Amino acid sequence: MDILVCIKRVPDISGQITLDDSGTDIDDSGLGHTTSAHEECAVELAIQTAAATGGKVTVLTLGPAEAVEQLRAAVAVGAHDGILIEAEDPSVFAPEDIAQIIGDVIRDLAEQGQGFDLVLLGNDAADTGDFQVGIRLAYDLGYPVLTGVQALNATGGAGGGSGSSGGSTGASEAGALEARGIGPAGTEIFSLDLPAVIAVQEGGVDPRYPSITGRMKAKRARIAEYVAPEPGTGNPRLGLELPPETASAVTVLGEGPDAAGSLVDVLEEIGVIRS
Amino acid sequence: MTLVFVETDETGQVALTSAEAVTFARTNAAALARMAGSPSEQPSGASATSGGVAQRPEGSSEEGLGVDVAVIGALTDAAGEQLASLGVGRIHHFESADLEAYSAPAWAQALVEIAPETGTVLASGTPRGMELMAHVAVRTGERIAANVVAADDEGLLRQVLGGAAFERLNLDGDLQVLTIAGHACTPEETTPTSPEVLTHSPEVAAEDLRTRVVRTEVEAADDTSGLTQARAVVGAGRGVGSQDGFDEVLELVDHLGGALGVSRVVTGLGWRPHAEQVGQTGSRITPDVYIACGISGAIQHMAGIEGAKTLIAINTDEESTMVQRADYAIIGDLHEVVGAVNEEIRNRRG
């Protein structure tokens, strides 16, 4: 099964953040960058699924030239190659624009004979939290779509979608998947035909660390390049705001075990100690 | 007029997050109506089998009549009473054999049958609410504002970066499609209404059933309800030290009759299952008290505990974010402190 995983370069916000001069974006000049947590799991799920079915994994991102780092990081843990859709400032795109651009690239690759049986994304990006690029992409491609998926099990066919059979995107028409995700009442199991789009939720698999050979492979990996078109619908963002800073109102009950009694007093006052 | 998709739990009660969304819609009715470009008004209910404009119940608030709700599947008397106490105008109840098992496209299409008659359609920012609103947005050709926390004369304000920042935006379509961030408001009862129940039995296209739930398996490991409903949650982070270092923390959980919640690093290290993870990509909790043991307070974790009423930190670093954000703190090693707290509780019990 040949799988495309769409990932996003996001700022690593472990500390205090500030806005840039325009007030419409954060100042990420002093921040590191990473891949969204759900997408790290999507990459791992793709690697496992492709390995089990004899396929390959391609990672794709839309972002600045530096986003090639996230593509090579995915190759270092087991993806085979990457696609960079270069956009100097991806924040000018709305989710519907991004879905359309990715859909266009998938169709272009299909015409070149590189089809995908399955497209994986993260449930939502760590920065924008929109939860919709995958769904919009599925509608654009005419594929079924699931979100919140944590485990996959190929149940038939789809031994590799490299444009071997018809379909508008060149993907293999044969094959089916069982997908599992957490619903309100427990684990929900879905069965769906390929090709399909699936948005992955963290929790089902643990992303692996890159090996030394993986890092070496990543340096040599083929990264196909596209250039993003001008924004279509544009981003409806008017600006960003930071929460007001509030002075700490902490009451320090003490240091070490000697403060235990004070803490139990607080818990008794709240009324949460079981009798 | 705003249409709110309402989720019910396994007992037939309105989910807390949906009660929040209904309250948000009611208390922000005027702003939402202005942004939708129309006065607050009722839809015609053209697809309803028992349509017609609802009579305003005696004693009901005019504000409350600006909110209709959609329920798919079972509608219990208890849920109906809850929705009346939350001040809804009408209940659109969707009943169809094709909608019994969850399928996002089919459920979204049911909402689309009535959503265009409203100015705004919204759901709580749960995974299901997010998924459905995204499908509704695509099917109606609209944009979506996810994780909204406020609506006022300046537009919508929504959480981004896991709640570390807010984005101001305006939706310019014919229908506003929103999801409401968890804990953006507290559910508030109001003057009870007598909502008319309109029953809909939509026909479902086969294509919209391609992703229907085949079956649901209930396993203890999946269950996050204990975490999200607990009055007391004891959080544990990297400071626990190892997979075998949870004994004191778990004893405290037992003393409080609460639940264990862990940081992402703990699940990443494989010490505890993901179902116990609290934060941006885990559960968002609303306990009366959250005791953070050995958790520094990364933004992603803070996003999951912002609904806690009282925050207590046990940490060796008094400058850590968790201590600075806490209501109460003890500076020290969590094993020593939690062990002493457990002993104190045992002693007081005699």
Side-chain angles (χ1 to χ4, degrees):
Chain A
M1 184 182 302
D2 288 351
I3 304 172
L4 178 70
V5 189
C6 303
I7 64 177
K8 183 177 184 183
R9 174 185 173 87
V10 294
D12 189 358
I13 50 163
S14 52
Q16 187 70 31
I17 61 170
T18 56
L19 302 185
D20 65 11
D21 291 340
S22 72
T24 60
D25 212 340
I26 66 168
D27 179 1
D28 64 354
S29 57
L31 301 175
H33 290 79
T34 186
T35 302
S36 292
H38 297 315
E39 291 158 10
E40 288 183 332
C41 292
V43 170
E44 177 61 31
L45 204 49
I47 292 166
Q48 293 181 12
T49 304
T53 57
K56 60 177 282 195
V57 176
T58 300
V59 285
L60 175 151
T61 195
L62 184 152
E66 294 84 356
V68 76
E69 296 168 16
Q70 278 61 52
L71 295 176
R72 295 198 187 280
V75 173
V77 294
H80 297 83
D81 54 21
I83 300 167
L84 172 66
I85 308 173
E86 189 170 343
E88 184 61 30
D89 180 11
S91 71
V92 300
F93 295 106
E96 49 266 43
D97 300 326
I98 294 169
Q100 175 75 50
I101 293 167
I102 295 173
D104 287 344
V105 168
I106 290 174
R107 281 182 283 270
D108 184 66
L109 290 167
E111 287 182 6
Q112 300 176 39
Q114 185 180 4
F116 299 102
D117 304 293
L118 180 63
V119 181
L120 298 184
L121 304 92
N123 237 25
D124 56 307
D127 52 356
T128 54
D130 277 318
F131 206 99
Q132 56 178 308
V133 170
I135 291 172
R136 290 184 181 278
L137 175 62
Y139 277 88
D140 182 57
L141 296 171
Y143 290 179
V145 58
L146 293 174
T147 67
V149 168
Q150 295 185 318
L152 294 175
N153 178 32
T155 55
S162 304
S164 55
S165 62
S168 61
T169 60
S172 167
E173 300 274 337
L177 268 182
E178 181 188 86
R180 303 167 71 90
I182 302 300
T187 299
E188 293 179 337
I189 292 92
F190 302 84
S191 176
L192 75 165
D193 293 332
L194 300 176
V197 174
I198 288 179
V200 174
Q201 163 103 25
E202 185 185 37
V205 290
D206 294 324
R208 68 187 75 182
Y209 292 101
S211 63
I212 293 175
T213 53
R215 292 179 196 275
M216 297 300 290
K217 178 187 164 198
K219 289 181 181 175
R220 301 188 302 269
R222 187 177 76 91
I223 306 293
E225 294 186 4
Y226 286 80
V227 177
E230 292 295 312
T233 61
N235 193 323
R237 174 180 292 179
L238 300 175
L240 283 186
E241 300 173 15
L242 297 178
E245 285 194 28
T246 54
S248 175
V250 63
T251 300
V252 177
L253 299 170
E255 293 189 14
D258 293 344
S262 300
L263 178 53
V264 176
D265 290 343
V266 171
L267 296 175
E268 284 184 337
E269 189 176 326
I270 296 171
V272 290
I273 296 180
R274 200 161 61 172
S275 55
Chain B
M1 144 76 217
T2 299
L3 177 70
V4 181
F5 167 70
V6 166
E7 298 177 66
T8 55
D9 62 23
E10 62 276 6
T11 67
Q13 301 281 316
V14 172
L16 173 65
T17 47
S18 289
E20 292 173 351
V22 171
T23 302
F24 184 95
R26 192 185 76 233
T27 55
N28 292 279
L32 291 172
R34 277 196 300 276
M35 280 183 274
S38 61
S40 179
E41 58 186 17
Q42 297 286 328
S44 67
S47 350
T49 54
S50 56
V53 176
Q55 295 293 309
R56 181 179 304 164
E58 190 175 346
S60 69
S61 70
E62 185 175 2
E63 175 187 56
L65 285 173
V67 180
D68 279 10
V69 298
V71 177
I72 300 178
L75 173 63
T76 63
D77 291 343
E81 289 172 12
Q82 281 181 283
L83 292 168
S85 72
L86 291 167
V88 308
R90 298 193 296 189
I91 299 172
H92 296 270
H93 180 214
F94 291 88
E95 277 189 317
S96 164
D98 287 333
L99 297 176
E100 286 179 5
Y102 178 63
S103 175
W107 284 33
Q109 184 58 36
L111 299 176
V112 167
E113 297 295 326
I114 56 172
E117 299 177 42
T118 71
T120 304
V121 58
L122 64 83
S124 58
T126 60
R128 189 147 288 181
M130 291 280 212
E131 183 176 39
L132 284 178
M133 289 303 103
H135 278 273
V136 167
V138 178
R139 285 168 182 256
T140 55
E142 301 289 353
R143 288 180 160 162
I144 186 171
N147 294 313
V148 169
V149 295
D152 55 32
D153 289 342
E154 295 179 53
L156 297 166
L157 197 65
R158 75 180 191 99
Q159 287 181 347
V160 292
L161 292 159
F166 299 97
E167 179 184 54
R168 176 72 66 180
L169 75 163
N170 269 323
L171 299 177
D172 53 6
D174 295 329
L175 174 68
Q176 297 186 107
V177 185
L178 322 176
T179 64
I180 307 303
H183 321 316
C185 69
T186 303
E188 289 176 6
E189 295 188 353
T190 185
T191 307
T193 52
S194 300
E196 182 183 10
V197 179
L198 306 178
T199 302
H200 304 252
S201 300
E203 293 195 6
V204 179
E207 187 173 2
D208 288 340
L209 296 173
R210 290 185 294 176
T211 53
R212 186 162 42 174
V213 172
V214 175
R215 66 182 188 279
T216 300
E217 296 175 356
V218 181
E219 302 167 17
D222 300 334
D223 187 5
T224 59
S225 61
L227 183 56
T228 56
Q229 294 172 19
R231 286 189 62 216
V233 175
V234 184
R238 184 195 294 272
V240 168
S242 74
Q243 189 167 11
D244 301 323
F246 287 82
D247 289 352
E248 295 101 342
V249 172
L250 287 170
E251 183 184 341
L252 180 55
V253 168
D254 188 50
H255 286 312
L256 304 181
L260 175 68
V262 301
S263 65
R264 183 163 184 257
V265 69
V266 167
T267 58
L269 289 165
W271 293 351
R272 302 293 302 185
H274 183 268
E276 294 176 352
Q277 184 174 313
V278 171
Q280 186 179 0
T281 55
S283 294
R284 297 184 180 223
I285 58 174
T286 56
D288 288 344
V289 60
Y290 181 67
I291 307 173
C293 305
I295 299 177
S296 61
I299 287 172
Q300 293 86 347
H301 188 76
M302 301 307 288
I305 64 170
E306 61 191 0
K309 292 184 179 66
T310 300
L311 179 57
I312 299 172
I314 300 172
N315 204 294
T316 54
D317 180 6
E318 61 185 314
E319 298 300 323
S320 67
T321 301
M322 188 64 78
V323 170
Q324 293 302 311
R325 294 273 189 89
D327 299 294
Y328 301 96
I330 294 179
I331 310 304
D333 177 81
L334 76 92
H335 294 289
E336 295 177 6
V337 174
V338 176
V341 169
N342 288 331
E343 185 178 357
E344 178 72 15
I345 292 174
R346 287 196 298 271
N347 290 340
R348 292 194 190 187
R349 278 189 182 139

